[in-house]
Amino acid sequence: MKEWYDAIKEAQSVERLEEIRISVFGKKGVLAEQFAKMKSAPNEEKAQIAKELNTHKSGLTDELMQRRITLQTLELEAAMKAEFIDVTLFSSNSQAGALHPVMETMDRIIEYFTAMNFAVKTGTMVEDDFNNFEALNLPKYHPARDMQDTFYFKDEMLLRTHTSPVQIRTMMNTKPPIRMIAPGAVFRRDYDITHTPMFHQVEGLLVDEEGKVSFANLKYILEDFLKYMFGDVEVRFRPSFFPFTEPSAEVDISCVFCKGKGCRVCSKTGWLEVLGCGIVDPNVFDAVKYKNVSGYAFGLGVERFAMLIHQIGDLRSLFEGDIKLLEQFQ
Ligand code: DAH
């Protein structure tokens, strides 16, 4: 029987062990054969032979069990090594989220002005007539209101048409000096390739003692800001009109598409209008009861900046949630 103990010890696989088990314990196996032989042995030896055979029966059963456990463990370890899955590995077809181009542009604008020590104010999207128009030198029935038709609620409440009311809110509850920007959503009754009923603006306001703030200060910071946003562009100021600034200007950059040569986007002028600005009108300071101060203000449309930076043709496409379009800006 010794050879069977050795065979079990040397078995290298569970299959081989099974073969041995059948050879030993099977119907025609060694034990069955030995027990059969015992029948023809002399009677006085039978008990001794049976005892020995039973000892081997249980001994070999134990050996088989032990070896099976060892081999199964080894096989499992080998399988785990061979089929190892690294669950921490990055999947090449997983979809990573990204900032929307409008938010990314807004963040960049905020980054510039916070670095210049401007505080970030938010205001509210549902605004009252006083903050949105009246205090900004846009009295009732003033024709300039027609350009900013919006959605009205009861009691002279409305969806703000620009971020300029945040200037009023801030001045009403803070003493000068002020250095703030107000990023946020605004609403107008507009819809075409360059306008959507909801869009985003960033407002800017700086107020200090009378005589301390000049148009030169405004010109300097806006030129620096526009170069930060658009790279090496030319910047020009054109006289314009806003009720809340006097003098007022519109600011153009040299066309980022044709480098100022003249193309379809800039209507062959070589220039693109990017923001409005000016020296704060004294009527605005009167409305918030500020005395002996001077200041400048500016306002810009974030979507317009995003369109120019990413060369997007139709502003409405920014709000269609089209993954094919959006993932180009990741
Ligand atoms: N609020 C203006 C608009 O929505 C933008 C603007 C122009 C804001 C000039 C200003 C400014 O603060 O000085 O069209």
Side-chain angles (χ1 to χ4, degrees), residues 148 161-164 167 188 201 203-204 242 244-245 276-278 297-300:
Q148 303 193 2
T161 57
H162 48 180
T163 42
S164 306
Q167 292 188 23
R188 285 188 203 178
Q201 289 190 333
E203 188 79 15
F242 297 102
F244 28 89
T245 43
C277 65
F298 57 88
L300 61 91

Side-chain angles (χ1 to χ4, degrees), residues 112-113 115-119 121 164 166-168 170-171 174-182 202-222 244-245 276-281 284-285 288 290 292-299:
Y112 175 86
F113 285 105
M116 289 299 200
N117 256 337
F118 282 68
K121 305 281 178 183
S164 306
V166 187
Q167 292 188 23
I168 306 301
T170 308
M171 288 191 282
T174 335
K175 283 194 190 128
I178 284 178
R179 231 174 219 256
M180 57 145 263
I181 53 164
V202 176
E203 188 79 15
L205 174 70
L206 183 141
V207 180
D208 211 322
E209 284 164 28
E210 191 159 23
K212 265 203 171 176
V213 185
S214 71
F215 204 97
N217 300 147
L218 173 63
K219 193 160 182 270
Y220 174 84
I221 194 160
L222 289 181
F244 28 89
T245 43
C277 65
I279 295 296
V280 179
D281 192 295
V284 175
F285 288 138
V288 299
Y290 267 21
N292 308 323
V293 289
S294 57
Y296 65 64
F298 57 88

Side-chain angles (χ1 to χ4, degrees), residues 8-240:
I8 292 169
K9 277 200 192 87
E10 283 156 21
Q12 291 305 317
S13 69
V14 176
E15 280 127 63
R16 172 78 192 116
L17 215 55
E18 185 60 11
E19 282 169 21
I20 297 170
R21 191 189 66 79
I22 292 165
S23 307
V24 177
F25 294 95
K27 270 194 191 127
K28 292 177 186 153
V30 199
L31 279 172
E33 194 182 300
Q34 297 286 331
F35 275 112
K37 265 192 195 156
M38 183 185 77
K39 283 184 188 133
S40 48
N43 269 344
E44 62 277 17
E45 285 173 27
K46 271 186 186 158
Q48 182 57 29
I49 295 173
K51 200 182 154 198
E52 269 171 31
L53 284 176
N54 279 325
T55 310
H56 285 312
K57 197 175 165 182
S58 63
L60 286 164
T61 304
D62 285 352
E63 285 296 314
L64 271 172
M65 209 169 68
Q66 288 301 330
R67 188 67 187 152
R68 184 182 295 270
I69 291 168
T70 310
L71 285 175
Q72 273 172 345
T73 311
L74 288 173
E75 278 178 20
L76 188 68
E77 273 169 12
M80 289 207 313
K81 236 180 231 167
E83 295 163 23
F84 175 68
I85 296 169
D86 184 354
V87 292
T88 68
L89 209 60
F90 187 77
S91 160
S92 60
N93 58 18
S94 72
Q95 286 214 311
L99 279 182
H100 190 280
V102 173
M103 290 303 132
E104 186 209 29
T105 306
M106 186 119 109
D107 283 355
R108 245 176 91 74
I109 297 169
I110 294 170
E111 204 173 85
Y112 175 86
F113 285 105
T114 48
M116 289 299 200
N117 256 337
F118 282 68
V120 178
K121 305 281 178 183
T122 45
T124 57
M125 292 180 203
V126 177
E127 197 40 285
D128 61 30
D129 189 89
F130 177 79
N131 288 332
N132 196 84
F133 292 128
E134 202 86 39
L136 288 163
N137 201 26
L138 269 145
K140 286 202 176 58
Y141 313 113
H142 191 288
R145 282 198 182 197
D146 291 352
M147 314 251 293
Q148 303 193 2
D149 197 9
T150 181
F151 304 87
Y152 286 86
F153 304 94
K154 292 190 297 201
D155 307 326
E156 305 211 321
M157 299 298 282
L158 47 95
L159 289 182
R160 68 178 179 194
T161 57
H162 48 180
T163 42
S164 306
V166 187
Q167 292 188 23
I168 306 301
R169 284 176 173 270
T170 308
M171 288 191 282
M172 295 284 253
N173 56 41
T174 335
K175 283 194 190 128
I178 284 178
R179 231 174 219 256
M180 57 145 263
I181 53 164
V186 301
F187 308 83
R188 285 188 203 178
R189 193 177 166 279
D190 284 331
Y191 191 66
D192 59 43
I193 69 163
T194 49
H195 298 90
T196 48
M198 188 281 305
F199 61 104
H200 298 82
Q201 289 190 333
V202 176
E203 188 79 15
L205 174 70
L206 183 141
V207 180
D208 211 322
E209 284 164 28
E210 191 159 23
K212 265 203 171 176
V213 185
S214 71
F215 204 97
N217 300 147
L218 173 63
K219 193 160 182 270
Y220 174 84
I221 194 160
L222 289 181
E223 272 180 14
D224 191 54
F225 164 63
L226 291 170
K227 291 198 159 121
Y228 175 80
M229 294 302 291
F230 295 105
D232 193 18
V233 286
E234 304 252 350
V235 178
R236 78 172 181 188
F237 287 67
R238 265 182 304 108
S240 184

